[in-house]
Amino acid sequence: VRMTLLDLSESLPLSGRLMAHSSMLAYMLLVAFQLPHHVDSGPSCQYSTVWQQQLDSITNPSSITAFQMAITPFANLTTATYTGNAIAIPNYVEIARQEASPGLHWIAMLHQDKQRLILGFRGTDLNSSSLSGQADNCADWQLWHPWTPRPSYCSTFNASTLAYLDHAVHAAKALQQQYPNASIALTGHSLGAGLAQLVAVNLSQAANASRLNAINIPAVAFASPGIETALPASVYDRSHCVFQLYDKQDPAVQLTRINQTGQYCAYTTARNAVCQRCFVEAPDLGHLGLDCELCGLEHHIYKHYLDLLYGTILPQTCGSFNEGCVAAPGM
């Protein structure tokens, strides 16, 4: 049975890495309904106006209905990457998918207007006894904390299998070539969120050599680890059109905040002693104790994010980890 951050089973032990949790705790919301404050710190990067209205409705919504309508294609595609089910998203049709076993999983869908294409990457398979889960764990290690001891089973996989970022970039480029008139956006949760942001940065940087009138690739990510340690030096730049939604109590985001980039909207959920101890005690995602595991059970799994997205409140805080993004006029 495959277990993911969306579909959890209680058969796995509590100890281990954050990405290998197997149950979910309830969460509580402290704050009343309010519109988030949008922060735009200037035209440091630009994206196609094909996405402008939809992305504005996520980062600066007029209502919770507008927010949920805009986020649904990204959220539902991310759900499909976990469940493996056929997607049923209004106005979109699935055009390709890869479900390597073991290896990277992704699904792509195209809007009926032929101008919008979304590529979503799956997060970590939690069944660490399966080859799929082990490969995902090793990809997590390789991307986010390669300076720590890697799981012993990683030696059973060849370098190509674990080259998730290379495969993700290749998939995005192939889709761009196949659908040259469509503007691509990336999405995913956790490992998938990090890949979405990294692909967006890599493709944007590749297209932005002149830095003049450049159009960046947008990413709408859910709870991404900080990506800057995984960026090659050739594309290291803190001004990217990537965006994420996250819970301020999520250790996967909070413990990597120094390496975060792009814009965000954050939910302020109930603070608790377990998460506070985690944030004090854990230096990074490679050194997680029981407090961080318990905090992650409550605040990192994708089911928690779906509950937040389709609840009764909007993210309470929006801003930028560095600089903001604006739409490209006339594009």
Side-chain angles (χ1 to χ4, degrees), residues 39-41 44 197 221-228 237-248 250 252-267 305 317-325:
V39 178
D40 185 359
S41 58
S44 60
Q197 292 196 345
F222 305 99
S224 173
I227 66 170
E228 289 200 338
D237 189 321
R238 292 181 62 85
S239 300
H240 310 306
C241 270
V242 295
F243 169 80
Q244 72 168 300
L245 285 152
Y246 76 96
D247 176 350
K248 287 187 176 181
D250 187 338
V253 180
Q254 290 299 98
L255 294 179
T256 62
R257 190 175 177 87
I258 193 173
N259 295 315
Q260 295 285 350
T261 187
Q263 291 185 315
Y264 67 85
C265 284
Y267 289 93
Y305 279 92
T317 306
C318 292
S320 174
F321 289 112
N322 34 68
E323 296 178 330
C325 299

Side-chain angles (χ1 to χ4, degrees), residues 172-287:
K173 288 181 176 180
L175 289 165
Q176 286 180 311
Q177 292 176 355
Q178 188 173 357
Y179 299 92
N181 296 322
S183 177
I184 192 171
L186 294 307
T187 194
H189 167 257
S190 192
L191 168 61
L195 288 170
Q197 292 196 345
L198 286 169
V199 171
V201 170
N202 274 272
L203 294 187
S204 295
Q205 294 294 337
N208 294 353
S210 69
R211 296 291 185 183
L212 299 175
N213 300 318
I215 304 301
N216 289 263
I217 308 299
V220 177
F222 305 99
S224 173
I227 66 170
E228 289 200 338
T229 55
L231 287 174
S234 60
V235 298
Y236 189 87
D237 189 321
R238 292 181 62 85
S239 300
H240 310 306
C241 270
V242 295
F243 169 80
Q244 72 168 300
L245 285 152
Y246 76 96
D247 176 350
K248 287 187 176 181
Q249 298 294 303
D250 187 338
V253 180
Q254 290 299 98
L255 294 179
T256 62
R257 190 175 177 87
I258 193 173
N259 295 315
Q260 295 285 350
T261 187
Q263 291 185 315
Y264 67 85
C265 284
Y267 289 93
T268 305
T269 56
R271 297 182 66 178
N272 61 66
V274 168
C275 290
Q276 296 312 304
R277 288 197 299 269
C278 165
F279 299 155
V280 171
E281 296 168 359
D284 54 50
L285 291 182
H287 299 84

Side-chain angles (χ1 to χ4, degrees), residues 106-225:
W106 56 261
I107 302 176
M109 62 184 189
L110 184 68
H111 194 274
Q112 64 183 12
D113 64 12
K114 309 298 184 184
Q115 296 182 351
R116 283 172 282 179
L117 190 160
I118 307 178
L119 173 59
F121 302 104
R122 192 187 75 180
T124 306
D125 183 340
L126 297 186
N127 185 0
S128 59
S129 66
S130 71
L131 289 177
S132 174
Q134 290 175 359
D136 285 357
N137 285 341
C138 296
D140 278 321
W141 169 84
Q142 190 163 281
L143 286 167
W144 316 129
H145 43 88
W147 55 87
T148 63
R150 71 174 185 169
S152 59
Y153 48 69
C154 293
S155 60
T156 64
F157 302 106
N158 60 43
S160 177
T161 298
L162 300 183
Y164 279 36
L165 179 56
D166 290 344
H167 295 310
V169 170
H170 176 78
K173 288 181 176 180
L175 289 165
Q176 286 180 311
Q177 292 176 355
Q178 188 173 357
Y179 299 92
N181 296 322
S183 177
I184 192 171
L186 294 307
T187 194
H189 167 257
S190 192
L191 168 61
L195 288 170
Q197 292 196 345
L198 286 169
V199 171
V201 170
N202 274 272
L203 294 187
S204 295
Q205 294 294 337
N208 294 353
S210 69
R211 296 291 185 183
L212 299 175
N213 300 318
I215 304 301
N216 289 263
I217 308 299
V220 177
F222 305 99
S224 173

